[in-house]
Each structure stands twice: as C-alpha cells, then as structure tokens.
Amino acid sequence: MKKRSILWFCAVLALCMGFGQVMADEVNLYSARKEALIKPLLDDFSRQTGIEVNLVTAKADALLKRLESEGRLTPADVLITVDAGRLHRAKEAGLLQSVQSSVLQSSIPESYRDPDGNWFGLSIRARPIMVVGERVDSDALRRYEDLANPEWRGKICIRSSNNIYNQSLVASMIAANGVADTERWAQGLVQNLARPPAGGDRDQIKAAAAGECDIAVANTYYLAGMLHSNDDGLRKAAEKMTIVWPNQEDRGAHVNVSGAGVTKYAGNKENAVKLLEYLVSDAAQARYAESNHEYPIKQGVAISETLQAFGEFKADALALAVLGENNSEAVKLMDRAGWR
C-alpha cells in the first residue's frame, strides 16, 4: 500500500512537471491591434516555434488600464499597441521592462525604438495632409505650418485633440518649432476648422469628399483601407483625395509607429522576446505591414502596391521617444488654443 502511494505521488509529480513544461511553451499577448490583423502572424509564429500565443484584444487605453490594475498578477507577457505616445505612457507607468536583443536592435532603426529598450516599433504609419484634388491645388500646401494660413478658413477637417495621433503630431511640431510657435499654429488651425472636430480619420476623409471641407489630416492606412473597402461610398470618397506630403524641403512628414514591449512582470520573458524578434523578420514584416497598409519598420522590406501609389516621401527623422516626452505639453497647448 505504501509502495502504491509512493508510485501515485511520483506520477502526480511527473504530471505536474509536465504541465509546467507545457505552460512554459506559451506567451500571453495583450494587443490593441485587431485579431484579424494579428492572428495569422501569431499562428505562423506558433507553427515555427511550438510556442502557443494566448491573445487578448481590446482598445489601446483599456489595455493600459488593465495592466495597471492587474499589477504583479497580470498574465500578460507582451503588449502591442499603437502610437509612440501610448508606448511612452506604458513605460512611464512602469508597465514595461527593458529588453536587450541584437535582433531587435539591428532590425529596427534607432529612432523607432525606446532608447532604454522598453518598447520597439513594429510598423510605421504616416500622417500627411489630404486634399480634395478637384478643389485644392496640392502645391498650395507644402508644410503642416500652412494649415494655419488664413486662406484655409473654414476648409479643414481634423479629429479631436483627445486623439493620440494629433497629440503626437503636435508633439513633433513642438520639437521642431518650440511651444510658442506651435501654440500660435494651433490657434490658426482652430480658426480654419470647417466644423467642430468629430469622429475618426475616416470621418474626416468622408467629410472632405462630401464637401464639408476641402482638407483633411489623416493616417495613410485609413485612406488605403477605404480604397480597398467593399463599401462603394467609402471607396468613392477615398478616390477623391490627393495626398500632400508636407515639409519635404525641411524636416519631413510626421510618422509614428505601432509597437510592442515586454511587460514588467512577464512570466514568459524568453518567449516574449522571441515573439518580438519574429515580428521583425522579413516575412512577418511584409505580412504585418500589408494587412493594415502600413510601412514596414525594417528597411529593405517591400511596401504594398497601394502605398507605392501614394508616392515616395521624406519622413521626419525625429526620435519617436520625443513624442511621448512632449505629450503633456502638447495636450496643454492644444487646450489653450481651443482645440477640442
């Protein structure tokens, strides 16, 4: 009887050790990118490595709040979210940890990753000016600064100052022009709005196409998505728009990233790093960028035909960590300018 008990105990111990081994071959991901976008890549990662990815998707700000509330008890190993401003918030809130990886450092340009290794860009998104070509000469707008010119009074559609994309655009302008000049620019922009800010980037494009305004500021992947939409209305609205790449004779067009970091309390850190390294592989970069019409973070990876049609452009070389550092000042400046 005693011998049987010992054998039973050994069997249970072996089973528990087996479970521990299985649990080690997983990684838990919190993602602000939609499941349809990220899941095929995760499945490919699992096939290549044998590491199972447990995916939770939600809105970007909701995931940050969730990580804060879970603290040390969070199951998350990796956070994927959008905008360097949010990635900076996650770092400042102590939600991420530093990672040293030669693969990540060699694949991602320095300006598109945190200098302390807390987050890494995975894809690039540009935020140019878009005009209705039949009503606005694209050569009449050469810089973001031109959006404040009186000639565009009542002509511009742009989303709310609560939007992180606009906050990061303003943060980049603070870096280029200083607080005082940027505030004067924001005041001029507000005076030129065709309507109070409402909706997302697609709504600005639709409003311009419908004649509510002539100029919109939006991320290129929204326009590209509309061009590929099954909705005739969205597609026709997008077809009316012409992209103006601003500041090509000085700092370049504003760009940002979607990116990721390893969470501070990751229980599967090694697997988390492997996932990030996979996401900057050539094959994953091409697929990741193509599926959401974004630009690959890794140099040498081809861009989609749609983005090629948008034309080549000079991107602002500003280190994107600065966008997070300037975010607080940008928000206060926008509020003072009456940008709601």
Side-chain angles (χ1 to χ4, degrees):
M1 188 70 178
K2 187 175 182 181
K3 182 178 180 181
R4 185 178 300 173
S5 297
I6 293 174
L7 290 173
W8 178 84
F9 174 77
C10 290
V12 171
L13 181 62
L15 186 61
C16 290
M17 291 175 66
F19 276 132
Q21 185 175 4
V22 171
M23 293 299 286
D25 291 331
E26 70 174 6
V27 62
N28 300 312
L29 169 62
Y30 282 6
S31 174
R33 308 311 304 265
K34 293 181 179 179
E35 183 172 350
L37 167 65
I38 196 74
K39 190 67 164 61
L41 286 169
L42 302 180
D43 290 342
D44 184 60
F45 170 74
S46 295
R47 283 192 294 270
Q48 289 191 29
T49 64
I51 299 170
E52 181 180 356
V53 182
N54 302 312
L55 175 64
V56 172
T57 60
K59 296 288 187 180
D61 291 336
L63 288 177
L64 294 184
K65 290 180 181 178
R66 179 168 178 171
L67 280 171
E68 286 184 296
S69 64
E70 289 173 343
R72 293 177 178 272
L73 299 179
T74 184
D77 301 306
V78 175
L79 171 70
I80 290 180
T81 191
V82 292
D83 201 279
R86 281 200 185 94
L87 289 162
H88 180 79
R89 289 178 191 173
K91 174 185 175 181
E92 290 298 294
L95 303 177
L96 304 175
Q97 62 174 288
S98 179
V99 167
Q100 299 301 317
S101 163
S102 59
V103 172
L104 295 175
Q105 290 177 344
S106 62
S107 300
I108 304 170
E110 187 176 1
S111 60
Y112 297 141
R113 50 185 164 88
D114 176 54
D116 299 319
N118 282 262
W119 56 263
F120 301 87
L122 297 177
S123 62
I124 300 170
R125 57 262 305 277
R127 193 166 184 76
I129 300 167
M130 301 179 189
V131 302
V132 180
E134 62 187 26
R135 298 199 298 269
V136 177
D137 181 358
S138 59
D139 289 334
L141 280 163
R142 304 185 68 85
R143 310 175 75 234
Y144 291 108
E145 288 81 352
D146 292 341
L147 293 171
N149 292 348
E151 65 188 287
W152 306 119
R153 187 67 50 85
K155 302 290 188 180
I156 299 174
C157 287
I158 192 168
R159 65 200 292 180
S160 167
S161 62
N162 290 331
N163 175 249
I164 189 68
Y165 305 154
N166 284 338
Q167 292 172 9
S168 288
L169 172 60
V170 173
S172 74
M173 296 187 72
I174 290 174
N177 302 325
V179 173
D181 283 351
T182 303
E183 185 168 345
R184 281 190 288 271
W185 169 83
Q187 291 169 346
L189 174 68
V190 169
Q191 291 177 348
N192 288 346
L193 296 183
R195 61 177 192 172
D201 279 11
R202 292 184 191 89
D203 296 299
Q204 315 313 313
I205 295 170
K206 289 191 293 182
E212 295 181 48
C213 52
D214 294 338
I215 302 165
V217 178
N219 287 351
T220 49
Y221 62 85
Y222 287 110
L223 182 66
M226 291 171 69
L227 289 170
H228 287 268
S229 175
N230 294 323
D231 185 315
D232 286 344
L234 289 178
R235 193 168 59 254
K236 289 178 180 178
E239 289 170 351
K240 292 184 178 183
M241 307 305 294
T242 298
I243 290 180
V244 175
W245 293 110
N247 299 82
Q248 294 303 282
E249 297 175 2
D250 46 82
R251 66 182 180 275
H254 172 64
V255 295
N256 211 311
V257 293
S258 70
V262 176
T263 62
K264 182 176 182 178
Y265 300 110
N268 300 294
K269 181 178 180 179
E270 183 177 347
N271 291 344
V273 174
K274 288 180 180 178
L275 176 58
L276 295 189
E277 291 176 343
Y278 163 81
L279 290 173
V280 296
S281 65
D282 287 359
Q285 276 285 290
R287 191 170 182 179
Y288 187 77
E290 173 85 23
S291 60
N292 202 40
H293 304 290
E294 293 181 322
Y295 296 88
I297 204 86
K298 190 174 185 179
Q299 296 178 353
V301 177
I303 63 175
S304 71
E305 291 184 5
T306 302
L307 295 187
Q308 289 180 39
F310 289 166
E312 295 183 359
F313 69 97
K314 175 184 175 182
D316 190 345
L318 178 71
L320 296 192
V322 175
L323 303 183
E325 294 166 3
N326 287 351
N327 179 267
S328 177
E329 190 61 58
V331 171
K332 291 184 287 187
L333 179 159
M334 296 163 86
D335 186 59
R336 292 194 301 268
W339 188 343
R340 302 293 181 250

PDB file of all heavy atoms in Angstrom, residues 282-296:
ATOM      1  N   ASP A 282      11.695  39.320 -41.945  1.00  0.00           N
ATOM      2  CA  ASP A 282      11.276  39.838 -43.253  1.00  0.00           C
ATOM      3  C   ASP A 282       9.867  39.402 -43.616  1.00  0.00           C
ATOM      4  O   ASP A 282       9.043  40.210 -44.062  1.00  0.00           O
ATOM      5  CB  ASP A 282      12.252  39.375 -44.338  1.00  0.00           C
ATOM      6  CG  ASP A 282      13.592  40.100 -44.278  1.00  0.00           C
ATOM      7  OD1 ASP A 282      13.755  40.977 -43.410  1.00  0.00           O
ATOM      8  OD2 ASP A 282      14.474  39.789 -45.099  1.00  0.00           O
ATOM      9  N   ALA A 283       9.582  38.122 -43.444  1.00  0.00           N
ATOM     10  CA  ALA A 283       8.269  37.596 -43.832  1.00  0.00           C
ATOM     11  C   ALA A 283       7.159  38.205 -42.993  1.00  0.00           C
ATOM     12  O   ALA A 283       6.110  38.603 -43.521  1.00  0.00           O
ATOM     13  CB  ALA A 283       8.264  36.075 -43.704  1.00  0.00           C
ATOM     14  N   ALA A 284       7.372  38.288 -41.687  1.00  0.00           N
ATOM     15  CA  ALA A 284       6.344  38.852 -40.808  1.00  0.00           C
ATOM     16  C   ALA A 284       6.160  40.333 -41.070  1.00  0.00           C
ATOM     17  O   ALA A 284       5.035  40.842 -41.061  1.00  0.00           O
ATOM     18  CB  ALA A 284       6.727  38.613 -39.343  1.00  0.00           C
ATOM     19  N   GLN A 285       7.237  41.039 -41.327  1.00  0.00           N
ATOM     20  CA  GLN A 285       7.151  42.476 -41.620  1.00  0.00           C
ATOM     21  C   GLN A 285       6.322  42.731 -42.877  1.00  0.00           C
ATOM     22  O   GLN A 285       5.462  43.618 -42.898  1.00  0.00           O
ATOM     23  CB  GLN A 285       8.550  43.045 -41.797  1.00  0.00           C
ATOM     24  CG  GLN A 285       9.228  43.416 -40.492  1.00  0.00           C
ATOM     25  CD  GLN A 285       8.673  44.693 -39.893  1.00  0.00           C
ATOM     26  OE1 GLN A 285       8.871  45.783 -40.404  1.00  0.00           O
ATOM     27  NE2 GLN A 285       7.953  44.563 -38.802  1.00  0.00           N
ATOM     28  N   ALA A 286       6.565  41.957 -43.904  1.00  0.00           N
ATOM     29  CA  ALA A 286       5.830  42.131 -45.156  1.00  0.00           C
ATOM     30  C   ALA A 286       4.341  41.869 -44.943  1.00  0.00           C
ATOM     31  O   ALA A 286       3.487  42.622 -45.407  1.00  0.00           O
ATOM     32  CB  ALA A 286       6.386  41.196 -46.225  1.00  0.00           C
ATOM     33  N   ARG A 287       4.042  40.810 -44.219  1.00  0.00           N
ATOM     34  CA  ARG A 287       2.637  40.445 -43.998  1.00  0.00           C
ATOM     35  C   ARG A 287       1.956  41.409 -43.046  1.00  0.00           C
ATOM     36  O   ARG A 287       0.808  41.812 -43.256  1.00  0.00           O
ATOM     37  CB  ARG A 287       2.578  39.023 -43.448  1.00  0.00           C
ATOM     38  CG  ARG A 287       1.187  38.410 -43.425  1.00  0.00           C
ATOM     39  CD  ARG A 287       1.277  36.937 -43.108  1.00  0.00           C
ATOM     40  NE  ARG A 287      -0.036  36.316 -43.126  1.00  0.00           N
ATOM     41  CZ  ARG A 287      -0.231  35.015 -42.896  1.00  0.00           C
ATOM     42  NH1 ARG A 287       0.796  34.229 -42.639  1.00  0.00           N
ATOM     43  NH2 ARG A 287      -1.447  34.514 -42.923  1.00  0.00           N
ATOM     44  N   TYR A 288       2.652  41.795 -41.990  1.00  0.00           N
ATOM     45  CA  TYR A 288       2.096  42.692 -40.972  1.00  0.00           C
ATOM     46  C   TYR A 288       1.780  44.056 -41.579  1.00  0.00           C
ATOM     47  O   TYR A 288       0.711  44.630 -41.350  1.00  0.00           O
ATOM     48  CB  TYR A 288       3.117  42.841 -39.843  1.00  0.00           C
ATOM     49  CG  TYR A 288       2.657  43.598 -38.618  1.00  0.00           C
ATOM     50  CD1 TYR A 288       1.829  42.994 -37.680  1.00  0.00           C
ATOM     51  CD2 TYR A 288       3.074  44.901 -38.373  1.00  0.00           C
ATOM     52  CE1 TYR A 288       1.425  43.675 -36.544  1.00  0.00           C
ATOM     53  CE2 TYR A 288       2.681  45.590 -37.245  1.00  0.00           C
ATOM     54  CZ  TYR A 288       1.859  44.966 -36.326  1.00  0.00           C
ATOM     55  OH  TYR A 288       1.456  45.640 -35.205  1.00  0.00           O
ATOM     56  N   ALA A 289       2.707  44.558 -42.388  1.00  0.00           N
ATOM     57  CA  ALA A 289       2.514  45.869 -42.993  1.00  0.00           C
ATOM     58  C   ALA A 289       1.441  45.824 -44.080  1.00  0.00           C
ATOM     59  O   ALA A 289       0.611  46.727 -44.189  1.00  0.00           O
ATOM     60  CB  ALA A 289       3.834  46.369 -43.569  1.00  0.00           C
ATOM     61  N   GLU A 290       1.452  44.764 -44.877  1.00  0.00           N
ATOM     62  CA  GLU A 290       0.491  44.639 -45.980  1.00  0.00           C
ATOM     63  C   GLU A 290      -0.938  44.565 -45.473  1.00  0.00           C
ATOM     64  O   GLU A 290      -1.852  45.180 -46.034  1.00  0.00           O
ATOM     65  CB  GLU A 290       0.819  43.388 -46.803  1.00  0.00           C
ATOM     66  CG  GLU A 290      -0.189  43.044 -47.880  1.00  0.00           C
ATOM     67  CD  GLU A 290       0.064  43.799 -49.170  1.00  0.00           C
ATOM     68  OE1 GLU A 290       1.205  44.222 -49.389  1.00  0.00           O
ATOM     69  OE2 GLU A 290      -0.887  43.951 -49.948  1.00  0.00           O
ATOM     70  N   SER A 291      -1.158  43.824 -44.401  1.00  0.00           N
ATOM     71  CA  SER A 291      -2.519  43.573 -43.928  1.00  0.00           C
ATOM     72  C   SER A 291      -3.212  44.837 -43.426  1.00  0.00           C
ATOM     73  O   SER A 291      -4.443  44.929 -43.449  1.00  0.00           O
ATOM     74  CB  SER A 291      -2.519  42.504 -42.824  1.00  0.00           C
ATOM     75  OG  SER A 291      -1.739  42.929 -41.729  1.00  0.00           O
ATOM     76  N   ASN A 292      -2.438  45.826 -42.970  1.00  0.00           N
ATOM     77  CA  ASN A 292      -3.063  47.060 -42.488  1.00  0.00           C
ATOM     78  C   ASN A 292      -2.563  48.284 -43.254  1.00  0.00           C
ATOM     79  O   ASN A 292      -2.733  49.407 -42.802  1.00  0.00           O
ATOM     80  CB  ASN A 292      -2.802  47.243 -40.984  1.00  0.00           C
ATOM     81  CG  ASN A 292      -3.816  48.159 -40.336  1.00  0.00           C
ATOM     82  OD1 ASN A 292      -5.003  48.114 -40.638  1.00  0.00           O
ATOM     83  ND2 ASN A 292      -3.357  49.016 -39.440  1.00  0.00           N
ATOM     84  N   HIS A 293      -1.927  48.042 -44.393  1.00  0.00           N
ATOM     85  CA  HIS A 293      -1.471  49.134 -45.264  1.00  0.00           C
ATOM     86  C   HIS A 293      -0.545  50.102 -44.518  1.00  0.00           C
ATOM     87  O   HIS A 293      -0.644  51.314 -44.656  1.00  0.00           O
ATOM     88  CB  HIS A 293      -2.663  49.888 -45.843  1.00  0.00           C
ATOM     89  CG  HIS A 293      -3.624  49.015 -46.583  1.00  0.00           C
ATOM     90  ND1 HIS A 293      -3.324  48.428 -47.788  1.00  0.00           N
ATOM     91  CD2 HIS A 293      -4.879  48.602 -46.279  1.00  0.00           C
ATOM     92  CE1 HIS A 293      -4.348  47.715 -48.207  1.00  0.00           C
ATOM     93  NE2 HIS A 293      -5.300  47.798 -47.311  1.00  0.00           N
ATOM     94  N   GLU A 294       0.365  49.539 -43.742  1.00  0.00           N
ATOM     95  CA  GLU A 294       1.367  50.342 -43.052  1.00  0.00           C
ATOM     96  C   GLU A 294       2.735  50.096 -43.677  1.00  0.00           C
ATOM     97  O   GLU A 294       2.918  49.167 -44.472  1.00  0.00           O
ATOM     98  CB  GLU A 294       1.386  50.020 -41.557  1.00  0.00           C
ATOM     99  CG  GLU A 294       0.110  50.442 -40.856  1.00  0.00           C
ATOM    100  CD  GLU A 294       0.130  50.148 -39.368  1.00  0.00           C
ATOM    101  OE1 GLU A 294       0.665  49.098 -38.966  1.00  0.00           O
ATOM    102  OE2 GLU A 294      -0.398  50.961 -38.618  1.00  0.00           O
ATOM    103  N   TYR A 295       3.693  50.922 -43.311  1.00  0.00           N
ATOM    104  CA  TYR A 295       5.044  50.791 -43.838  1.00  0.00           C
ATOM    105  C   TYR A 295       5.864  49.880 -42.919  1.00  0.00           C
ATOM    106  O   TYR A 295       5.811  50.018 -41.685  1.00  0.00           O
ATOM    107  CB  TYR A 295       5.705  52.163 -43.928  1.00  0.00           C
ATOM    108  CG  TYR A 295       5.018  53.090 -44.911  1.00  0.00           C
ATOM    109  CD1 TYR A 295       3.957  53.889 -44.501  1.00  0.00           C
ATOM    110  CD2 TYR A 295       5.429  53.161 -46.232  1.00  0.00           C
ATOM    111  CE1 TYR A 295       3.318  54.739 -45.394  1.00  0.00           C
ATOM    112  CE2 TYR A 295       4.798  54.008 -47.139  1.00  0.00           C
ATOM    113  CZ  TYR A 295       3.734  54.801 -46.714  1.00  0.00           C
ATOM    114  OH  TYR A 295       3.095  55.621 -47.597  1.00  0.00           O
ATOM    115  N   PRO A 296       6.636  48.942 -43.482  1.00  0.00           N
ATOM    116  CA  PRO A 296       7.470  48.074 -42.645  1.00  0.00           C
ATOM    117  C   PRO A 296       8.474  48.897 -41.840  1.00  0.00           C
ATOM    118  O   PRO A 296       8.984  49.905 -42.318  1.00  0.00           O
ATOM    119  CB  PRO A 296       8.180  47.170 -43.659  1.00  0.00           C
ATOM    120  CG  PRO A 296       7.354  47.251 -44.900  1.00  0.00           C
ATOM    121  CD  PRO A 296       6.767  48.631 -44.909  1.00  0.00           C
TER     122      PRO A 296
END
